[in-house]
Short mmCIF file of all heavy atoms in Angstrom, two decimals:
data_model
loop_
_atom_site.label_atom_id
_atom_site.label_comp_id
_atom_site.label_asym_id
_atom_site.label_seq_id
_atom_site.Cartn_x
_atom_site.Cartn_y
_atom_site.Cartn_z
N VAL A 29 157.18 105.60 104.82
CA VAL A 29 157.97 106.76 105.14
C VAL A 29 157.16 108.00 104.80
O VAL A 29 156.32 107.98 103.88
CB VAL A 29 159.32 106.75 104.37
CG1 VAL A 29 159.09 106.92 102.88
CG2 VAL A 29 160.27 107.80 104.90
N TRP A 30 157.39 109.07 105.55
CA TRP A 30 156.68 110.33 105.32
C TRP A 30 157.75 111.41 105.10
O TRP A 30 158.46 111.80 106.03
CB TRP A 30 155.80 110.67 106.51
CG TRP A 30 154.85 111.81 106.27
CD1 TRP A 30 154.79 112.62 105.19
CD2 TRP A 30 153.80 112.23 107.14
NE1 TRP A 30 153.79 113.54 105.31
CE2 TRP A 30 153.15 113.32 106.51
CE3 TRP A 30 153.34 111.81 108.38
CZ2 TRP A 30 152.07 113.99 107.08
CZ3 TRP A 30 152.26 112.47 108.96
CH2 TRP A 30 151.64 113.55 108.31
N LEU A 31 157.83 111.89 103.88
CA LEU A 31 158.78 112.94 103.51
C LEU A 31 158.08 114.29 103.62
O LEU A 31 157.03 114.50 103.02
CB LEU A 31 159.29 112.71 102.08
CG LEU A 31 160.22 113.80 101.49
CD1 LEU A 31 161.48 113.92 102.32
CD2 LEU A 31 160.55 113.47 100.04
N ARG A 32 158.71 115.22 104.36
CA ARG A 32 158.11 116.53 104.60
C ARG A 32 159.16 117.61 104.34
O ARG A 32 160.33 117.47 104.74
CB ARG A 32 157.60 116.63 106.04
CG ARG A 32 156.46 115.64 106.34
CD ARG A 32 156.14 115.60 107.83
NE ARG A 32 155.67 116.89 108.33
CZ ARG A 32 154.42 117.32 108.26
NH1 ARG A 32 153.50 116.55 107.69
NH2 ARG A 32 154.08 118.48 108.76
N TYR A 33 158.72 118.70 103.70
CA TYR A 33 159.65 119.78 103.37
C TYR A 33 158.87 121.08 103.23
O TYR A 33 157.65 121.07 102.97
CB TYR A 33 160.40 119.45 102.08
CG TYR A 33 159.54 119.38 100.85
CD1 TYR A 33 159.49 120.43 99.94
CD2 TYR A 33 158.77 118.24 100.57
CE1 TYR A 33 158.69 120.37 98.80
CE2 TYR A 33 157.99 118.17 99.45
CZ TYR A 33 157.94 119.23 98.56
OH TYR A 33 157.15 119.16 97.44
N PRO A 34 159.52 122.27 103.40
CA PRO A 34 158.84 123.56 103.27
C PRO A 34 158.63 123.93 101.80
O PRO A 34 159.07 123.22 100.89
CB PRO A 34 159.78 124.53 103.97
CG PRO A 34 161.13 123.90 103.82
CD PRO A 34 160.92 122.42 103.85
N ASP A 35 157.96 125.08 101.58
CA ASP A 35 157.62 125.45 100.20
C ASP A 35 158.74 126.21 99.48
O ASP A 35 158.56 126.58 98.31
CB ASP A 35 156.33 126.27 100.17
CG ASP A 35 156.44 127.56 100.97
OD1 ASP A 35 157.54 127.87 101.46
OD2 ASP A 35 155.42 128.26 101.10
N LYS A 36 159.87 126.46 100.14
CA LYS A 36 160.98 127.11 99.44
C LYS A 36 162.28 126.81 100.15
O LYS A 36 162.29 126.44 101.34
CB LYS A 36 160.76 128.62 99.34
CG LYS A 36 160.69 129.34 100.67
CD LYS A 36 160.46 130.84 100.45
CE LYS A 36 160.36 131.58 101.79
NZ LYS A 36 160.15 133.03 101.58
N ALA A 37 163.38 126.97 99.39
CA ALA A 37 164.70 126.71 99.95
C ALA A 37 165.12 127.87 100.84
O ALA A 37 164.66 129.01 100.71
CB ALA A 37 165.71 126.51 98.83
N ALA A 38 166.03 127.58 101.75
CA ALA A 38 166.55 128.61 102.64
C ALA A 38 167.64 129.41 101.92
O ALA A 38 168.04 129.11 100.80
CB ALA A 38 167.10 127.97 103.91
N ALA A 39 168.12 130.48 102.58
CA ALA A 39 169.20 131.28 102.01
C ALA A 39 170.43 130.39 101.82
O ALA A 39 170.80 129.61 102.70
CB ALA A 39 169.53 132.44 102.95
N GLY A 40 171.07 130.51 100.67
CA GLY A 40 172.21 129.66 100.36
C GLY A 40 171.84 128.49 99.48
O GLY A 40 172.72 127.73 99.06
N GLY A 41 170.55 128.29 99.23
CA GLY A 41 170.11 127.26 98.31
C GLY A 41 169.80 125.92 98.94
O GLY A 41 169.32 125.01 98.26
N ARG A 42 170.08 125.74 100.25
CA ARG A 42 169.79 124.43 100.88
C ARG A 42 168.29 124.33 101.16
O ARG A 42 167.69 125.20 101.76
CB ARG A 42 170.57 124.27 102.17
CG ARG A 42 170.43 122.88 102.79
CD ARG A 42 171.25 122.76 104.06
NE ARG A 42 171.21 121.41 104.59
CZ ARG A 42 170.24 120.94 105.37
NH1 ARG A 42 169.23 121.73 105.70
NH2 ARG A 42 170.27 119.69 105.80
N TRP A 43 167.72 123.22 100.72
CA TRP A 43 166.28 123.00 100.89
C TRP A 43 166.11 121.93 101.98
O TRP A 43 166.30 120.73 101.74
CB TRP A 43 165.65 122.52 99.59
CG TRP A 43 164.18 122.83 99.49
CD1 TRP A 43 163.26 122.71 100.48
CD2 TRP A 43 163.48 123.30 98.34
NE1 TRP A 43 162.03 123.08 100.04
CE2 TRP A 43 162.11 123.44 98.71
CE3 TRP A 43 163.84 123.60 97.04
CZ2 TRP A 43 161.14 123.88 97.83
CZ3 TRP A 43 162.87 124.04 96.15
CH2 TRP A 43 161.53 124.18 96.55
N ALA A 44 165.78 122.37 103.18
CA ALA A 44 165.66 121.45 104.30
C ALA A 44 164.50 120.48 104.08
O ALA A 44 163.45 120.84 103.54
CB ALA A 44 165.45 122.21 105.60
N ALA A 45 164.70 119.26 104.51
CA ALA A 45 163.66 118.23 104.41
C ALA A 45 163.93 117.17 105.48
O ALA A 45 165.05 117.06 106.01
CB ALA A 45 163.63 117.60 103.02
N ALA A 46 162.91 116.43 105.79
CA ALA A 46 163.03 115.37 106.80
C ALA A 46 162.10 114.23 106.45
O ALA A 46 161.00 114.45 105.91
CB ALA A 46 162.72 115.91 108.20
N SER A 47 162.51 113.02 106.74
CA SER A 47 161.66 111.85 106.55
C SER A 47 161.38 111.24 107.93
O SER A 47 162.25 111.20 108.81
CB SER A 47 162.33 110.82 105.64
OG SER A 47 163.58 110.42 106.17
N TYR A 48 160.14 110.77 108.10
CA TYR A 48 159.69 110.26 109.38
C TYR A 48 159.11 108.86 109.19
O TYR A 48 158.58 108.52 108.13
CB TYR A 48 158.61 111.17 109.98
CG TYR A 48 159.10 112.55 110.35
CD1 TYR A 48 159.13 113.57 109.41
CD2 TYR A 48 159.54 112.82 111.64
CE1 TYR A 48 159.58 114.83 109.74
CE2 TYR A 48 159.99 114.09 111.99
CZ TYR A 48 160.01 115.08 111.04
OH TYR A 48 160.47 116.32 111.37
N THR A 49 159.24 108.07 110.25
CA THR A 49 158.63 106.74 110.28
C THR A 49 157.76 106.65 111.53
O THR A 49 157.92 107.42 112.48
CB THR A 49 159.69 105.63 110.30
OG1 THR A 49 160.53 105.82 111.46
CG2 THR A 49 160.54 105.66 109.05
N ILE A 50 156.85 105.70 111.52
CA ILE A 50 155.94 105.53 112.67
C ILE A 50 156.76 105.14 113.90
O ILE A 50 157.58 104.23 113.87
CB ILE A 50 154.88 104.47 112.36
CG1 ILE A 50 154.01 104.94 111.18
CG2 ILE A 50 154.02 104.20 113.58
CD1 ILE A 50 152.96 103.94 110.76
N SER A 51 156.51 105.86 114.98
CA SER A 51 157.28 105.68 116.20
C SER A 51 156.67 104.61 117.09
O SER A 51 155.45 104.42 117.11
CB SER A 51 157.38 107.01 116.96
OG SER A 51 157.95 106.82 118.23
N GLN A 52 157.52 103.94 117.85
CA GLN A 52 157.07 103.00 118.86
C GLN A 52 157.04 103.63 120.25
O GLN A 52 156.64 103.00 121.22
CB GLN A 52 158.00 101.78 118.89
CG GLN A 52 157.95 100.95 117.63
CD GLN A 52 156.57 100.38 117.36
OE1 GLN A 52 156.05 99.60 118.15
NE2 GLN A 52 155.96 100.80 116.26
N GLU A 53 157.46 104.89 120.33
CA GLU A 53 157.50 105.58 121.62
C GLU A 53 156.11 106.07 121.98
O GLU A 53 155.42 106.72 121.18
CB GLU A 53 158.46 106.77 121.52
CG GLU A 53 158.64 107.53 122.83
CD GLU A 53 159.61 108.68 122.68
OE1 GLU A 53 160.35 108.70 121.67
OE2 GLU A 53 159.62 109.56 123.55
N GLU A 54 155.66 105.76 123.19
CA GLU A 54 154.31 106.12 123.63
C GLU A 54 154.18 107.64 123.71
O GLU A 54 155.03 108.32 124.27
CB GLU A 54 154.01 105.48 124.98
CG GLU A 54 152.58 105.66 125.44
CD GLU A 54 152.27 104.87 126.69
OE1 GLU A 54 153.12 104.05 127.09
OE2 GLU A 54 151.19 105.07 127.25
N GLY A 55 153.09 108.16 123.16
CA GLY A 55 152.84 109.59 123.19
C GLY A 55 153.48 110.36 122.06
O GLY A 55 153.25 111.57 121.93
N ARG A 56 154.30 109.70 121.24
CA ARG A 56 154.94 110.36 120.11
C ARG A 56 154.68 109.54 118.86
O ARG A 56 155.25 108.46 118.68
CB ARG A 56 156.44 110.51 120.35
CG ARG A 56 157.14 111.34 119.28
CD ARG A 56 158.62 111.46 119.57
NE ARG A 56 159.30 112.25 118.55
CZ ARG A 56 160.62 112.41 118.50
NH1 ARG A 56 161.37 111.83 119.43
NH2 ARG A 56 161.15 113.14 117.56
N PRO A 57 153.81 110.02 117.96
CA PRO A 57 153.40 109.17 116.84
C PRO A 57 154.47 108.95 115.78
O PRO A 57 154.51 107.90 115.16
CB PRO A 57 152.19 109.92 116.26
CG PRO A 57 152.40 111.35 116.66
CD PRO A 57 153.09 111.31 117.98
N TRP A 58 155.33 109.95 115.54
CA TRP A 58 156.29 109.85 114.45
C TRP A 58 157.71 110.10 114.96
O TRP A 58 157.93 110.97 115.80
CB TRP A 58 155.97 110.86 113.34
CG TRP A 58 154.68 110.53 112.65
CD1 TRP A 58 153.43 110.96 112.98
CD2 TRP A 58 154.53 109.65 111.54
NE1 TRP A 58 152.51 110.41 112.15
CE2 TRP A 58 153.14 109.60 111.24
CE3 TRP A 58 155.41 108.90 110.77
CZ2 TRP A 58 152.64 108.83 110.21
CZ3 TRP A 58 154.91 108.14 109.73
CH2 TRP A 58 153.54 108.11 109.45
N ALA A 59 158.64 109.31 114.44
CA ALA A 59 160.05 109.44 114.81
C ALA A 59 160.85 109.91 113.60
O ALA A 59 160.61 109.47 112.47
CB ALA A 59 160.59 108.10 115.30
N LEU A 60 161.78 110.81 113.84
CA LEU A 60 162.63 111.32 112.76
C LEU A 60 163.56 110.20 112.29
O LEU A 60 164.33 109.64 113.06
CB LEU A 60 163.44 112.51 113.25
CG LEU A 60 164.43 113.11 112.25
CD1 LEU A 60 163.68 113.70 111.05
CD2 LEU A 60 165.29 114.18 112.93
#
């Protein structure tokens, strides 16, 4: 798994983040 997030939280305190896995879709390496 690849966890990715920005260097600071957004207004309101929510810190956006997303995890990705290797995709099986041709032309797209990573799937959310």
Side-chain angles (χ1 to χ4, degrees):
V29 67
W30 191 353
L31 175 61
R32 296 170 62 85
Y33 65 101
D35 60 5
K36 62 181 179 180
R42 186 179 185 276
W43 205 319
S47 58
Y48 294 86
T49 58
I50 297 177
S51 171
Q52 294 299 298
E53 183 180 344
E54 187 173 351
R56 187 180 180 186
W58 293 90
L60 177 65

